[in-house]
């Protein structure tokens, strides 16, 4: 790995840690389905008691939020 790659990986790792630490905490029984970065917003989709939730951290505004139920497992 080159020095540039190492630095970029370190920066990306730190940004992901910042986003995860700023998002609402995972509740007991909640399971992470996926996490991704899109348009400057770090997203985490989870399930809890059959409901699907979306938590987001906006890097530009430095704010996080948890969206109420976005889907229900089995309704697709």
């Amino acid at each position: 790995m080159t020095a540039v790659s190492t630095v970029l990986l370190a920066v990306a790792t730190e940004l992901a840690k910042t986003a995860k630490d700023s998002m609402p905490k995972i509740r007991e029984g909640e399971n992470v389905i996926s996490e991704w970065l899109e348009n400057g917003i770090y997203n985490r989709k989870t399930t809890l008691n059959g409901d699907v939730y979306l938590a987001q951290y906006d890097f530009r505004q430095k704010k996080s939020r948890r969206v109420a139920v976005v889907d229900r497992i089995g309704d697709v």
Side-chain angles (χ1 to χ4, degrees):
M1 191 179 296
T2 67
V4 173
S5 298
T6 302
V7 170
L8 289 175
L9 182 59
V11 169
T13 301
E14 187 59 33
L15 287 172
K17 182 181 180 327
T18 298
K20 287 180 180 183
D21 290 348
S22 300
M23 294 175 83
K25 300 299 177 205
I26 301 285
R27 298 167 286 190
E28 186 175 328
E30 190 171 15
N31 297 306
V32 176
I33 298 173
S34 61
E35 296 177 306
W36 70 97
L37 179 65
E38 184 177 334
N39 298 325
I41 298 175
Y42 192 85
N43 299 277
R44 178 194 300 144
K45 188 181 275 190
T46 61
T47 61
L48 179 65
N49 299 326
D51 295 326
V52 179
Y53 294 87
L54 178 65
Q56 300 177 314
Y57 177 77
D58 188 323
F59 283 101
R60 293 170 288 226
Q61 296 181 12
K62 295 185 174 38
K63 291 184 180 178
S64 68
R65 69 185 185 126
R66 178 180 285 139
V67 179
V69 176
V70 293
D71 200 357
R72 181 124 177 108
I73 294 177
D75 287 351
V76 180

